[in-house]
Amino acid sequence: MAALRYAGLDDTDSEDELPLGWEQRTTKDGWVYYANHTEEKTQWEHPKTGKRKRIAGDLPYGWEQETDENGQVYFVDHINKRTTYLDPRLAFTVDDNPTKPTTRQRYDGSTTAMEILQGRDLTGKVVIVTGANSGIGFETAKSFALHGAHVILACRNLTRANEAVSRILGEWHKAKVEAMTLDLAQLRSVQHFAQAFKAKNVSLHVLVCNAAAFALPWTLTKDGLETTFQVNHLGHFHLVQLLQDVLCRSAPARVVVVSSESHRFTDINDSSGNLDFSRLSPSKNDYWAMLAYNRSKLCNILFSNELHRRLSPRGVTSNAVHPGNMMYSSIHRNWWVYTLLFTLARPFTKSMIPDCPVELGHS
């Protein structure tokens, strides 16, 4: 009770009084959970009432939320110059009564990136998101960062990546977020990125392979491969191979490959049913931008499946996700025809906010 009085919470309701050995805590985003020190476990439900609770309202004037070296949230009262691990808003919690499970999936088109990770404290987790300076990559990186993870935005354009970092820090100045150069169209750049990341001597818990090219005119990369194929698939394939040892050492870890439903509208086999390598990186005469994109997304699916089969016994899962039908983004910018089509479809598409390709089952 002394600790409760210290935080100004000594006036408690007997129904919500915790049993001996229990402690009430809060996550960074305001959800209440309960720690049982006797059995050394935590749970979301109140041990007596079975209710779930969340914090209502902002911190009182003069208070600030901090995180200690162990990742636990504590609170600083700058006016009275004191600190406490008890959230001063705990006297104003509201019940959160989840509905019984239905046949509806847990996440859908109206779910936001922040809602996907709601209640999660990712302090201490390290995440890489490719193509994270805009679109769903940015929203994914931001959600991870605002939930406490150390996030690396791996982007081709370092200037735009640093601007994205600034936008995230503008929402939470203590976010651990940084930008690193990664050009998937150059395998040497992929190698340099992997070397630079390993030099940090940190773990890697989540790798989101999000970057993609769409509707490009036919070009070859410096490695002599068709650009769409290399950026969308081979560059990520090489990146995962180079970071595979770090992922395994960091287990449990996961790889998330952002694919597309368009993988269904193509194939990479010849008339005999054998893999036709010429379809993966076609010549100029055999190139069609939409078909190249579809094939690269099919490669994403096959890669994710095989990666999961090989690494899941070592604690690394691989997930392939579809970000949403006709989602409006800047991926269409390379050809005016697609820009026109996307503009006409924009009123019927999802915005960037409702997407965070994490927490979906492996393919």
Side-chain angles (χ1 to χ4, degrees):
M1 289 300 292
L4 288 173
R5 285 194 296 271
Y6 186 64
L9 302 174
D10 50 318
D11 185 15
T12 59
D13 190 325
S14 58
E15 181 190 44
D16 290 332
E17 187 174 344
L18 291 171
L20 186 65
W22 286 81
E23 180 186 358
Q24 190 172 227
R25 297 176 180 174
T26 56
T27 64
K28 287 180 180 176
D29 48 0
W31 291 94
V32 178
Y33 67 100
Y34 303 90
N36 184 336
H37 295 291
T38 303
E39 300 181 11
E40 297 185 348
K41 68 177 184 178
T42 62
Q43 65 186 52
W44 293 112
E45 295 80 14
H46 190 286
K48 289 176 65 176
T49 67
K51 295 179 180 178
R52 293 191 178 195
K53 292 181 176 290
R54 56 185 173 84
I55 297 297
D58 299 326
L59 285 169
Y61 176 75
W63 286 78
E64 184 179 10
Q65 181 175 288
E66 302 277 0
T67 304
D68 65 18
E69 58 185 10
N70 298 317
Q72 188 171 345
V73 175
Y74 69 95
F75 301 88
V76 180
D77 180 356
H78 293 289
I79 296 176
N80 297 305
K81 296 181 172 55
R82 60 179 182 173
T83 62
T84 175
Y85 281 90
L86 286 173
D87 192 319
R89 299 167 295 175
L90 283 173
F92 308 100
T93 57
V94 295
D95 291 343
D96 179 63
N97 299 313
T99 57
K100 293 182 179 180
T102 66
T103 56
R104 185 187 180 196
Q105 65 189 62
R106 183 178 178 186
Y107 304 123
D108 57 24
S110 63
T111 306
T112 68
M114 296 300 291
E115 288 172 343
I116 290 285
L117 297 178
Q118 191 170 55
R120 305 290 181 90
D121 184 358
L122 299 180
T123 301
K125 302 297 183 182
V126 181
V127 180
I128 295 175
V129 183
T130 68
N133 58 276
S134 64
I136 62 173
F138 173 75
E139 294 299 332
T140 300
K142 182 178 74 171
S143 183
F144 276 125
L146 297 185
H147 284 83
H150 175 190
V151 184
I152 296 172
L153 282 63
C155 305
R156 178 177 58 86
N157 188 321
L158 191 59
T159 299
R160 294 185 62 191
N162 283 322
E163 291 172 353
V165 168
S166 298
R167 284 155 56 196
I168 295 173
L169 291 173
E171 295 202 28
W172 186 35
H173 70 284
K174 294 186 179 180
K176 296 187 65 176
V177 57
E178 62 179 298
M180 292 179 64
T181 302
L182 172 65
D183 186 352
L184 294 165
Q186 299 184 44
L187 295 182
R188 179 166 294 184
S189 174
V190 177
Q191 294 162 7
H192 288 166
F193 173 88
Q195 292 169 0
F197 176 79
K198 288 182 176 181
K200 294 177 179 292
N201 293 316
V202 297
S203 300
L204 177 57
H205 302 98
V206 181
L207 171 57
V208 182
C209 300
N210 164 77
F214 176 77
L216 293 178
W218 182 86
T219 56
L220 294 179
T221 67
K222 291 183 178 181
D223 302 298
L225 297 166
E226 190 277 313
T227 303
T228 301
F229 170 67
Q230 180 164 332
V231 171
N232 293 6
H233 170 63
L234 193 62
H236 282 129
F237 175 90
H238 192 39
L239 178 64
V240 173
Q241 295 303 303
L242 294 173
L243 297 179
Q244 177 177 313
D245 56 336
V246 185
L247 286 163
C248 291
R249 286 200 307 268
S250 308
R254 70 172 57 188
V255 177
V256 179
V257 184
V258 181
S259 183
S260 169
E261 279 292 327
S262 64
H263 81 276
R264 301 181 186 278
F265 307 111
T266 187
D267 64 77
I268 53 177
N269 295 331
D270 59 22
S271 57
S272 301
N274 299 316
L275 179 62
D276 185 352
F277 287 97
S278 66
R279 297 190 181 192
L280 300 181
S281 183
S283 65
K284 187 174 183 178
N285 292 334
D286 295 327
Y287 179 77
W288 181 34
M290 191 69 231
L291 197 56
Y293 178 80
N294 294 353
R295 285 171 176 165
S296 71
K297 296 292 105 177
L298 177 57
C299 288
N300 290 160
I301 297 288
L302 297 174
F303 168 55
S304 179
N305 281 346
E306 181 62 18
L307 185 68
H308 183 81
R309 187 185 71 81
R310 294 189 184 192
L311 296 190
S312 57
R314 301 175 65 183
V316 179
T317 59
S318 180
N319 304 263
V321 301
H322 168 53
N325 293 319
M326 288 299 293
M327 177 185 303
Y328 188 84
S329 71
S330 60
I331 196 172
H332 55 80
R333 62 187 178 276
N334 297 295
W335 193 25
W336 70 268
V337 173
Y338 286 111
T339 298
L340 176 61
L341 291 174
F342 272 70
T343 300
L344 293 174
R346 184 169 188 173
F348 310 100
T349 63
K350 297 192 293 182
S351 71
M352 286 298 99
I353 301 302
D355 292 273
C356 181
V358 183
E359 280 298 317
L360 300 182
H362 66 78
S363 56

